Amino acid sequence: MASMQAHTLLLPMTGVPIASSLRKSSFKSEMKLNANTRRDSTLAGEWRKIQGANDWADLINPLSPLLRDELVRYGELVAACYKAFDLDPRSRRYLNCKYGQAQMLDEVGLGGAGYQVTKYIYATPDVCAPMRDRSRWVGYVAVAVDGDARRCLGRRDVVVAFRGTVTRAEWAANMMSALRAADLDPAEPRPEVRAESGFLNLYTSDDGANRFGQGSCREQLLGEIARLVRVYGGEEISITLAGHSMGSALALLLGYDLAELGLNRLRPGGEPAPITVYSFGGPRAGNTGFKRRCDELGVKVLRVVNVRDPVTKLPGLLLNESSGGRRAGGVECYAHVGVELGLDFFDLRNPAAVHDLRTYITLLKCPKHAAKEEDVNLVDQMMEKVKKMVQQQGRKVVGWPWQDMVRQVGNLVQTLSMI
């Protein structure tokens, strides 16, 4: 299988406040799938290409309007996680979803999307944190059930959407920046496939005291997706995993896990259901061995990246897929997976907007203006300072000094209130 290449198309936008008009309007009419439109009939016939069957060849530069629409649609399904997440400490649903499964998409304005939520997903990082802050809602599984929606999509789409980092315990897990063997398939361990330990911790840890979830985040997801594949195995199915920030890493780990275990196979010996990951502002989740194995398994990944967003440069600010080797200075290199679609945004008045999901969605909708030169220069200077700091403190890139560097860069991200 050909290795996926990173292609970057810069879609610049002025440093203006994130489109407030988009916040005020309901997305129901925007998301509703209409079988009578040319766009939808095209999607039904082209969905495999849009899902990355050809690694998005000829769809990135220039950006295909059909692919743009699908990115916005999946971005809104991820944004639903933030809209529905309860951050009120006084609420009995604190750190969980505000709404029941049957009402959630309606409540966040996506009732016309044609999907039905089938399961909520909870995760528990194995870190020291107050018990109340440990188990929390990170996303949901949904399936296209509306007849018009399925006709427009051209298949039965199973979606998993993940939010990004919000709580202190999740930040603590994110700062666990060592690589360790993924070891997700006990029948065939692959020590060369290594994942970032914090994301792997969040994906695999189990909290027996969690009154909502059953088992780890991983166990919940594998069980539900396997169930849906059995239920709809006689149809054409796609498995679409979408996330923002930390959620992008969880989506990528899930995509690798499903493909490695063969849970996307609709029937023994049959063609596997395609697995596509749409990553918005995602960090690196693993090493070069992880990237290589994802490519071999056919996991398709499209990374939507604001080139001014420091989160997308972590971990592995210096030692990454561009370093020219598997290891550098005794430390294994991190690597991004998949194809990159580059956006370009920085607002001097709101630096944290470089990582905001709403900014990403707005950029995809309105890529018409040039970024302000002074804003661009400022963020470039900021990243250059970070790199110099890392170089000065990490000449011997081993042990705890390297961990300290990662934490300092992470602290910068937290200071800017990026999630």
Side-chain angles (χ1 to χ4, degrees):
M1 179 178 297
S3 176
M4 289 185 286
Q5 302 297 315
H7 302 286
T8 303
L9 171 66
L10 297 185
L11 301 178
M13 183 178 179
T14 54
V16 297
I18 305 166
S20 57
S21 60
L22 293 177
R23 289 197 183 100
K24 297 175 183 177
S25 62
S26 168
F27 291 98
K28 186 177 293 188
S29 59
E30 220 173 306
M31 293 286 292
K32 188 169 180 61
L33 295 166
N34 184 344
N36 296 321
T37 66
R38 187 191 309 179
R39 171 196 171 278
D40 293 327
S41 62
T42 302
L43 178 60
E46 300 288 326
W47 71 266
R48 289 186 178 274
K49 288 177 59 178
I50 297 298
Q51 292 288 104
N54 300 323
D55 296 331
W56 294 279
D58 302 322
L59 296 177
I60 297 293
N61 194 2
L63 181 59
S64 157
L66 193 59
L67 177 57
R68 183 197 304 274
D69 288 346
E70 286 297 275
L71 287 171
V72 169
R73 189 169 69 84
Y74 285 115
E76 296 294 1
L77 289 169
V78 174
C81 296
Y82 290 111
K83 294 178 183 178
F85 192 52
D86 194 337
L87 285 170
D88 182 358
R90 301 164 298 178
S91 171
R92 64 185 181 87
R93 292 182 177 267
Y94 178 53
L95 299 184
N96 290 291
C97 186
K98 301 174 187 176
Y99 316 111
Q101 287 182 192
Q103 297 81 34
M104 193 271 282
L105 291 178
D106 276 321
E107 292 287 348
V108 299
L110 301 182
Y115 288 84
Q116 176 182 311
V117 176
T118 64
K119 190 173 184 61
Y120 281 168
I121 303 301
Y122 302 84
T124 305
D126 185 15
V127 297
C128 293
M131 184 58 67
R132 196 182 184 207
D133 289 350
R134 287 172 61 80
S135 297
R136 74 225 19 102
W137 183 69
V138 293
Y140 62 93
V141 182
V143 62
V145 292
D146 179 77
D148 285 344
R150 284 188 289 114
R151 282 190 292 274
C152 296
L153 293 171
R155 81 280 189 189
R156 176 85 64 174
D157 190 32
V158 175
V159 172
V160 185
F162 297 98
R163 62 166 176 81
T165 307
V166 174
T167 71
R168 287 172 293 177
E170 289 165 353
W171 271 115
N174 289 356
M175 292 300 103
M176 297 167 61
S177 299
L179 284 162
R180 68 181 176 92
D183 285 336
L184 297 178
D185 183 1
E188 192 173 356
R190 296 178 180 274
E192 75 281 5
V193 177
R194 301 172 71 81
E196 197 269 354
S197 58
F199 301 137
L200 194 60
N201 177 294
L202 188 64
Y203 182 62
T204 59
S205 294
D206 184 9
D207 177 10
N210 182 3
R211 64 191 176 98
F212 293 106
Q214 294 127 8
S216 66
C217 173
R218 180 194 186 211
E219 291 166 339
Q220 297 166 56
L221 287 163
L222 296 185
E224 180 63 8
I225 293 174
R227 183 187 72 83
L228 292 172
V229 168
R230 286 195 302 270
V231 170
Y232 300 111
E235 306 177 25
E236 277 199 294
I237 297 178
S238 62
I239 299 174
T240 308
L241 316 173
H244 172 240
S245 193
M246 172 194 77
S248 297
L250 292 177
L252 189 50
L253 285 172
L254 174 59
Y256 162 71
D257 202 3
L258 289 169
E260 191 71 90
L261 296 176
L263 294 182
N264 59 325
R265 293 196 175 274
L266 306 183
R267 59 190 67 83
E271 283 294 313
I275 298 173
T276 303
V277 177
Y278 290 117
S279 164
F280 297 89
R284 295 182 180 92
N287 69 341
T288 51
F290 179 78
K291 171 192 170 358
R292 191 179 306 112
R293 186 57 180 159
C294 285
D295 291 346
E296 291 171 354
L297 291 168
V299 178
K300 303 300 181 178
V301 182
L302 182 58
R303 297 183 300 106
V304 185
V305 172
N306 180 1
V307 296
R308 312 296 167 186
D309 181 353
V311 172
T312 64
K313 298 170 175 58
L314 299 172
L317 184 65
L318 291 180
L319 305 181
N320 54 55
E321 64 278 355
S322 302
S323 301
R326 181 175 175 271
R327 301 178 71 89
V331 175
E332 198 161 15
C333 292
Y334 283 90
H336 273 306
V337 180
V339 175
E340 179 179 301
L341 169 62
L343 310 177
D344 194 349
F345 176 88
F346 187 78
D347 183 356
L348 186 61
R349 294 161 295 180
N350 183 16
V354 296
H355 188 60
D356 184 74
L357 179 59
R358 179 55 54 203
T359 305
Y360 274 79
I361 295 172
T362 302
L363 279 165
L364 287 166
K365 291 180 178 179
C366 314
K368 295 182 179 179
H369 305 288
K372 287 186 178 180
E373 188 65 29
E374 62 269 26
D375 291 354
V376 170
N377 289 341
L378 180 65
V379 76
D380 285 344
Q381 291 169 16
M382 179 187 74
M383 290 309 302
E384 191 60 32
K385 287 180 180 178
V386 170
K387 286 186 178 181
K388 286 182 179 178
M389 176 191 72
V390 171
Q391 289 169 334
Q392 290 170 358
Q393 297 189 24
R395 298 189 187 282
K396 294 183 179 180
V397 195
V398 293
W400 284 109
W402 176 246
Q403 296 293 325
D404 290 340
M405 287 188 299
V406 172
R407 286 181 173 83
Q408 288 193 46
V409 176
N411 289 338
L412 170 65
V413 174
Q414 284 184 272
T415 300
L416 292 174
S417 301
M418 299 173 185
I419 59 175

